[in-house]
Structures are given as C-alpha cells and as structure tokens.
Amino acid sequence: MTNPEVLRYTQESGDFSRLLSSIPYAETIGLACDRFGDDLIFRLPRKAENLGNPILPAIHGGVIGGFMELSAAIYLMMSQDALRMPRIVDFSLDYLRAGLDRETYAECRLTRQGNRVANVQVTAWQKSRTQPIATARAHFLLED
C-alpha cells in the first residue's frame, strides 16, 4: 500500500499529502486528513462520484465503509512507532443515518493495542458530532 519512507515523512512532518496520494482508493474517494494537535480528523469531501442514491442524494454505503476503514488504518499507522501497514482482521460497521451529499468527517480512537493486535473505534458524522451517521470497530494484526 505504501512504503516506509512515505510513512516516516508523514509521521515527522504531519503532511498527509504523500501518504494519501500513494493510496489509490484514498485518491478515488477524495479522502483528506487534518491534524489538530494530537487529534486526526479525516474528511470525505462532497463528491458526485461517491453518491450511491441520487434521489436522496446519499453517499454510497461502501464509500462510507471504505472511508472509515481507511481512516482507522491510517490512524493506527500514525499512532505506532514502527513503520508498517497494519493488516485488517475484522471490520464491523453500524449505519445510523443516511450519509447525505455533504462533507463527512471521521474521528478514530485506539481502544486497545497489544503486541499483535490493535482495535480502533471510528465515528463518522456530517453536521454534528452528536449525530453520527455511522460507527465502526476495526481489528488489526500488527505483525510483519
């Protein structure tokens, strides 16, 4: 997915442009990431290609799931000292509301990290954090 040099640059500089451009799916959906102190906020911009239901209009559920899974993986990579891509073991997603055609945000929280496995919780919202559109739990394998 990405090489250690790009991960090191991103960890040291806080500039996510090289990392995100090295991930084809991130480029396709338009994923962006902003750092606020120690917090990372992932952003899925409004984009016509991400719509699944043009009548509502609403973002395709697979795009929301992919956005959240990729956000969890990037968050975990940035929170580790080792420069490696974690491998996803399990991803569970709860859709709570329709993801309407507007900018979407995601925030991740590391709930457990052992030597071999890490768990990340992800919340996605649009207008207000208090009204999430989806929540997810991702489990990653950390071994090389």
Side-chain angles (χ1 to χ4, degrees), residues 59-72:
I59 300 171
H60 191 279
V63 172
I64 293 172
F67 166 62
M68 294 176 76
E69 183 180 327
L70 199 50
S71 297

Side-chain angles (χ1 to χ4, degrees), residues 21-108:
S21 66
S22 71
I23 305 170
Y25 190 67
E27 288 256 304
T28 300
I29 65 173
L31 190 141
C33 181
D34 298 311
R35 182 182 290 271
F36 298 97
D38 290 338
D39 294 334
L40 294 178
I41 301 293
F42 296 90
R43 185 169 40 88
L44 181 68
R46 182 179 181 195
K47 192 172 178 184
E49 293 83 8
N50 290 341
L51 293 180
N53 185 341
I55 296 171
L56 283 178
I59 300 171
H60 191 279
V63 172
I64 293 172
F67 166 62
M68 294 176 76
E69 183 180 327
L70 199 50
S71 297
I74 293 170
Y75 178 82
L76 184 57
M77 282 190 298
M78 293 300 111
S79 65
Q80 295 178 344
D81 292 332
L83 299 174
R84 61 184 172 200
M85 180 66 189
R87 287 185 279 170
I88 189 101
V89 174
D90 184 42
F91 188 78
S92 177
L93 176 62
D94 297 320
Y95 294 100
L96 306 174
R97 294 176 176 78
L100 300 178
D101 185 22
R102 59 177 66 135
E103 203 160 57
T104 304
Y105 304 94
E107 185 174 49
C108 302

